[in-house]
Amino acid sequence: MDEKVLSPITDAEAAPARAPMAARIAARLTQARRAPMTIGLSALIAAALAWAAYHAIAPTEPQAPRSTHKKGSPAAPQPVAVATIARRDIKIVRHGLLGTVTPIANVSVKSQISGYLMEVGYKEGQFVQKGDFLAQVDPRPYEAQKAQLEGQMMRDQGSLEQARDDMRRYQSLKKLDSISRQQADNQTWVVKQYEGAVKADQAQIDNQNLNLAYARIVAPVAGRVGLRKVDAGNYVTTADVIALVTQIDPITVIFGVPEDYIPDIMRAQKKSGGLEVAAFDRSDTKQIATGRLLTLDNSIDSTTGMVSGRAEFENKEETLYPNQFVNVHLLVDVREKTIAAPKAAIRTGASGPFVYKVTDDSRVVMQSVAPAEGEHFDDFAGFNDGMIEIASGLAEGDRVVVDGADRLRDGASVRLAASDGRASAAPPSETPRKDPSQEPPQERRRRRQTTPQ
């Protein structure tokens, strides 16, 4: 068998075969190098498209105005209104006491006899005095009964006089032993019987006189008459209400007092007598009337822990109305010449109440304060013209911020507001800064060129 000899392949012969393979390898290497660039470019394009879409659908917000101060320059002083701490009298008032206006007298006038109502002598809402005419019930049936009883009394009186004459004769005959002792004594008892009959007749006549007085209905107290309950011509009985008379002036308020307040109130009553009481409307913002505390009840309600109190008010202007709901403020003490601060100056922080105190160099510092015992930070602002007593933290003559403290911080620079509410002029040491947006274009271009970068 012939052996086939394989001759080696020369470089010239192998070059054409290697050329296509090298080209393919180079293309693959180029494609591999371009893949990260393609991915990065795709991610960048996607992010740009997402940013554009977000700003297209998101609501626009107004941009904050750019600061006109140079870099590193201090902020402009904040205009504020201040008050000077001084001494004054402070009233300690117990408030939040709920009460109801209660008339001293609220009388339902009823007829005390039965009969036809002949006349109504009042108008609805009329003010009447005690004894004024209100209504008239038909008196004629009672006049007739009175006349009948008077006739019966005259008959009994005649019988009584006859019995007395017989008794005198029997006593004379008894002395002469002309009649028996028993007969004379019996005549004495007959006289007693007729005397009793006459007295009974007189009582019945007096009863009819009373009925005739009841037929004319008058006001039992002074006050205001309500709406009409019955008209003339109706038959009334003792159960029917003819009128409702309510005493308006003076008038009282019954209110509840927590048992914790009782010692202070009793101590103040012993010291100064009747305590001042102010009645405010339902919203506890408008004062209606001023009166005096009459008394507290003699026991505490065990279910509520409250004791009822009654205060009396003059009510000539009818500012208080029966059954009206009111808020009661009870003055229990007056602290004289004490350090007082405006309630508007006191703010609440994490460490408690504080104020912004103005220093001599027109800066503010946070100063902790403590209201006096018995004072509450949420006290009604109408008391003491909006002032409250300060136990510690402030001294007479200190200045505190009462308006414009919302954007302040400890150590901030401030300028005081003028008396008319406008901010005072800036201190001479400060140069007013111009707003760059108001400069001419040429000036802004020149300033940018001269400003070092």
Side-chain angles (χ1 to χ4, degrees):
M1 182 175 182
D2 295 335
E3 295 181 357
K4 186 177 180 178
V5 180
L6 299 176
S7 61
I9 300 175
T10 64
D11 293 339
E13 294 174 349
R18 290 198 301 267
M21 184 179 297
R24 288 195 300 271
I25 294 173
R28 290 178 181 178
L29 291 175
T30 302
Q31 184 177 1
R33 286 195 300 267
R34 290 179 179 177
M37 297 178 57
T38 304
I39 295 173
L41 182 61
S42 301
L44 182 61
I45 294 174
L49 292 176
W51 181 86
Y54 170 77
H55 282 276
I57 64 176
T60 59
E61 298 183 357
Q63 296 182 354
R66 296 181 179 179
S67 175
T68 59
H69 303 294
K70 294 181 179 180
K71 184 176 181 180
S73 62
Q78 175 70 26
V80 296
V82 299
T84 303
I85 301 301
R87 292 184 177 274
R88 60 166 293 165
D89 294 343
I90 293 294
K91 298 179 179 180
I92 304 302
V93 180
R94 300 302 184 190
H95 60 97
L97 310 178
L98 307 182
T100 303
V101 179
T102 305
I104 297 177
N106 191 27
V107 182
S108 296
V109 181
K110 296 183 178 182
S111 175
Q112 300 190 54
I113 60 174
S114 298
Y116 285 99
L117 193 64
M118 300 181 64
E119 181 183 0
V120 175
Y122 68 88
K123 295 181 179 179
E124 295 176 332
Q126 176 185 347
F127 281 91
V128 295
Q129 299 297 324
K130 183 177 180 180
D132 286 354
F133 172 72
L134 295 179
Q136 178 67 55
V137 179
D138 188 2
R140 292 173 296 180
Y142 302 97
E143 291 174 348
Q145 292 180 15
K146 178 184 175 182
Q148 181 180 0
L149 292 172
E150 287 177 344
Q152 181 178 341
M153 182 178 177
M154 292 176 63
R155 183 190 63 189
D156 292 340
Q157 283 180 337
S159 301
L160 175 60
E161 293 299 330
Q162 181 180 2
R164 285 174 176 172
D165 289 342
D166 292 342
M167 183 183 66
R168 285 192 293 269
R169 287 193 296 266
Y170 289 165
Q171 292 296 331
S172 300
L173 293 175
K174 176 182 176 182
K175 294 178 181 179
L176 299 175
D177 291 332
S178 300
I179 61 173
S180 64
R181 180 183 297 272
Q182 182 179 3
Q183 187 176 3
D185 292 341
N186 288 341
Q187 188 62 32
T188 302
W189 303 121
V190 171
V191 171
K192 292 290 185 180
Q193 293 173 3
Y194 283 119
E195 287 177 349
V198 171
K199 191 171 182 179
D201 294 339
Q202 183 62 51
Q204 292 183 2
I205 293 174
D206 292 341
N207 184 48
Q208 293 303 317
N209 289 331
L210 187 59
N211 288 335
L212 290 174
Y214 289 156
R216 180 179 174 84
I217 302 174
V218 297
V221 295
R224 186 171 182 264
V225 184
L227 300 180
R228 181 177 296 181
K229 303 298 181 181
V230 65
D231 296 324
N234 289 311
Y235 186 86
V236 296
T237 64
T238 56
D240 295 327
V241 177
I242 304 300
L244 183 63
V245 181
T246 303
Q247 183 173 342
I248 299 295
D249 182 30
I251 203 166
T252 65
V253 172
I254 296 179
F255 57 96
V257 178
E259 57 183 335
D260 296 338
Y261 292 172
I262 295 177
D264 292 340
I265 295 174
M266 300 302 293
R267 189 182 309 112
Q269 272 192 315
K270 293 178 180 179
K271 179 181 177 181
S272 58
L275 303 182
E276 180 180 335
V277 179
F280 282 69
D281 61 0
R282 179 182 292 271
S283 61
D284 205 12
T285 56
K286 180 181 178 182
Q287 183 172 341
I288 303 175
T290 302
R292 290 285 177 180
L293 177 66
L294 293 180
T295 184
L296 297 179
D297 204 353
N298 57 2
S299 62
I300 299 174
D301 188 345
S302 59
T303 59
T304 61
M306 308 282 283
V307 61
S308 296
R310 183 188 288 269
E312 186 178 68
F313 298 82
E314 291 186 0
N315 197 32
K316 295 180 180 179
E317 302 299 328
E318 294 187 73
T319 54
L320 296 175
Y321 211 76
N323 295 331
Q324 178 183 358
F325 177 82
V326 294
N327 287 275
V328 175
H329 301 162
L330 179 61
L331 175 65
V332 296
D333 193 11
V334 178
R335 298 177 182 171
E336 300 179 352
K337 304 301 180 183
T338 184
I339 296 294
K343 181 179 180 294
I346 301 180
R347 310 180 71 82
T348 303
S351 59
F354 71 94
V355 297
Y356 283 111
K357 186 169 69 173
V358 181
T359 62
D360 295 337
D361 58 350
S362 297
R363 294 185 177 276
V364 294
V365 293
M366 293 177 59
Q367 178 64 51
S368 298
V369 295
E373 182 181 358
E375 296 281 354
H376 300 283
F377 181 64
D378 59 345
D379 270 352
F380 183 70
F383 298 145
N384 305 302
D385 300 325
M387 309 289 287
I388 63 174
E389 181 184 3
I390 300 299
S392 63
L394 293 175
E396 187 175 2
D398 289 345
R399 296 180 300 171
V400 294
V401 176
V402 295
D403 190 16
D406 294 337
R407 290 179 290 178
L408 291 181
R409 66 182 185 278
D410 194 18
S413 178
V414 296
R415 53 177 173 171
L416 307 185
S419 59
D420 59 354
R422 296 175 297 179
S424 60
S429 59
E430 294 185 3
T431 302
R433 298 179 175 84
K434 296 181 180 180
D435 187 357
S437 63
Q438 303 296 329
E439 296 179 351
Q442 298 83 357
E443 182 66 20
R444 291 201 302 271
R445 190 180 305 109
R446 184 188 63 80
R447 185 167 53 82
R448 284 196 299 269
Q449 292 173 357
T450 58
T451 302
Q453 301 295 330

